[in-house]
PDB file of all heavy atoms in Angstrom:
ATOM      1  N   THR A   6      -2.973   6.730  -0.532  1.00  0.00           N
ATOM      2  CA  THR A   6      -4.184   6.485   0.267  1.00  0.00           C
ATOM      3  C   THR A   6      -4.116   7.285   1.572  1.00  0.00           C
ATOM      4  O   THR A   6      -3.990   6.720   2.656  1.00  0.00           O
ATOM      5  CB  THR A   6      -4.338   4.992   0.595  1.00  0.00           C
ATOM      6  OG1 THR A   6      -3.122   4.549   1.205  1.00  0.00           O
ATOM      7  CG2 THR A   6      -4.649   4.172  -0.616  1.00  0.00           C
ATOM      8  N   TRP A  65     -24.288  22.826   2.260  1.00  0.00           N
ATOM      9  CA  TRP A  65     -24.959  23.429   3.424  1.00  0.00           C
ATOM     10  C   TRP A  65     -24.772  24.940   3.320  1.00  0.00           C
ATOM     11  O   TRP A  65     -23.659  25.423   3.057  1.00  0.00           O
ATOM     12  CB  TRP A  65     -24.365  22.920   4.745  1.00  0.00           C
ATOM     13  CG  TRP A  65     -25.085  23.508   5.936  1.00  0.00           C
ATOM     14  CD1 TRP A  65     -26.176  22.993   6.564  1.00  0.00           C
ATOM     15  CD2 TRP A  65     -24.779  24.737   6.616  1.00  0.00           C
ATOM     16  NE1 TRP A  65     -26.573  23.823   7.592  1.00  0.00           N
ATOM     17  CE2 TRP A  65     -25.728  24.904   7.647  1.00  0.00           C
ATOM     18  CE3 TRP A  65     -23.795  25.725   6.455  1.00  0.00           C
ATOM     19  CZ2 TRP A  65     -25.730  25.994   8.509  1.00  0.00           C
ATOM     20  CZ3 TRP A  65     -23.799  26.818   7.299  1.00  0.00           C
ATOM     21  CH2 TRP A  65     -24.758  26.945   8.327  1.00  0.00           C
ATOM     22  N   GLU A 102     -10.143  46.937   2.339  1.00  0.00           N
ATOM     23  CA  GLU A 102      -9.069  47.859   2.731  1.00  0.00           C
ATOM     24  C   GLU A 102      -9.627  49.110   3.415  1.00  0.00           C
ATOM     25  O   GLU A 102      -8.950  49.732   4.239  1.00  0.00           O
ATOM     26  CB  GLU A 102      -8.237  48.266   1.507  1.00  0.00           C
ATOM     27  CG  GLU A 102      -7.602  47.108   0.737  1.00  0.00           C
ATOM     28  CD  GLU A 102      -6.753  46.183   1.600  1.00  0.00           C
ATOM     29  OE1 GLU A 102      -6.082  46.676   2.536  1.00  0.00           O
ATOM     30  OE2 GLU A 102      -6.774  44.962   1.359  1.00  0.00           O
ATOM     31  N   ASP A 104     -11.749  49.313   5.664  1.00  0.00           N
ATOM     32  CA  ASP A 104     -12.088  49.111   7.075  1.00  0.00           C
ATOM     33  C   ASP A 104     -10.865  49.270   7.982  1.00  0.00           C
ATOM     34  O   ASP A 104     -10.520  48.372   8.758  1.00  0.00           O
ATOM     35  CB  ASP A 104     -12.709  47.717   7.277  1.00  0.00           C
ATOM     36  CG  ASP A 104     -14.094  47.601   6.654  1.00  0.00           C
ATOM     37  OD1 ASP A 104     -14.797  48.626   6.581  1.00  0.00           O
ATOM     38  OD2 ASP A 104     -14.453  46.484   6.248  1.00  0.00           O
ATOM     39  N   GLY A 140     -15.009   7.591  20.517  1.00  0.00           N
ATOM     40  CA  GLY A 140     -13.678   6.977  20.608  1.00  0.00           C
ATOM     41  C   GLY A 140     -12.940   6.988  19.276  1.00  0.00           C
ATOM     42  O   GLY A 140     -12.117   6.117  18.998  1.00  0.00           O
ATOM     43  N   ARG A 157      -2.100  44.133   9.588  1.00  0.00           N
ATOM     44  CA  ARG A 157      -2.642  44.092   8.220  1.00  0.00           C
ATOM     45  C   ARG A 157      -3.329  45.414   7.874  1.00  0.00           C
ATOM     46  O   ARG A 157      -3.924  45.534   6.814  1.00  0.00           O
ATOM     47  CB  ARG A 157      -3.632  42.909   8.148  1.00  0.00           C
ATOM     48  CG  ARG A 157      -4.511  42.762   6.930  1.00  0.00           C
ATOM     49  CD  ARG A 157      -3.714  42.411   5.702  1.00  0.00           C
ATOM     50  NE  ARG A 157      -4.568  42.098   4.571  1.00  0.00           N
ATOM     51  CZ  ARG A 157      -5.170  43.020   3.810  1.00  0.00           C
ATOM     52  NH1 ARG A 157      -5.008  44.297   4.061  1.00  0.00           N
ATOM     53  NH2 ARG A 157      -5.930  42.658   2.804  1.00  0.00           N
ATOM     54  N   ASN A 158      -3.287  46.377   8.791  1.00  0.00           N
ATOM     55  CA  ASN A 158      -4.069  47.619   8.667  1.00  0.00           C
ATOM     56  C   ASN A 158      -5.566  47.337   8.709  1.00  0.00           C
ATOM     57  O   ASN A 158      -6.365  48.190   8.311  1.00  0.00           O
ATOM     58  CB  ASN A 158      -3.717  48.411   7.397  1.00  0.00           C
ATOM     59  CG  ASN A 158      -2.242  48.765   7.333  1.00  0.00           C
ATOM     60  OD1 ASN A 158      -1.573  48.822   8.365  1.00  0.00           O
ATOM     61  ND2 ASN A 158      -1.715  48.981   6.134  1.00  0.00           N
ATOM     62  N   LEU A 215       2.532  35.219  -6.858  1.00  0.00           N
ATOM     63  CA  LEU A 215       1.476  35.099  -5.860  1.00  0.00           C
ATOM     64  C   LEU A 215       1.034  33.644  -5.769  1.00  0.00           C
ATOM     65  O   LEU A 215       1.271  32.858  -6.695  1.00  0.00           O
ATOM     66  CB  LEU A 215       0.274  35.957  -6.272  1.00  0.00           C
ATOM     67  CG  LEU A 215       0.549  37.461  -6.326  1.00  0.00           C
ATOM     68  CD1 LEU A 215      -0.637  38.179  -6.945  1.00  0.00           C
ATOM     69  CD2 LEU A 215       0.790  37.996  -4.926  1.00  0.00           C
ATOM     70  N   ARG A 217      -1.827  30.494  -5.293  1.00  0.00           N
ATOM     71  CA  ARG A 217      -3.160  30.125  -5.772  1.00  0.00           C
ATOM     72  C   ARG A 217      -3.797  29.202  -4.739  1.00  0.00           C
ATOM     73  O   ARG A 217      -3.081  28.519  -4.000  1.00  0.00           O
ATOM     74  CB  ARG A 217      -3.058  29.374  -7.113  1.00  0.00           C
ATOM     75  CG  ARG A 217      -2.443  30.191  -8.231  1.00  0.00           C
ATOM     76  CD  ARG A 217      -2.417  29.394  -9.540  1.00  0.00           C
ATOM     77  NE  ARG A 217      -1.308  28.459  -9.577  1.00  0.00           N
ATOM     78  CZ  ARG A 217      -0.134  28.694 -10.160  1.00  0.00           C
ATOM     79  NH1 ARG A 217       0.077  29.845 -10.772  1.00  0.00           N
ATOM     80  NH2 ARG A 217       0.811  27.782 -10.142  1.00  0.00           N
TER      81      ARG A 217
END
Side-chain angles (χ1 to χ4, degrees):
T6 54
W65 182 90
E102 302 306 324
D104 291 330
R157 170 68 173 79
N158 303 336
L215 296 171
R217 298 182 280 264

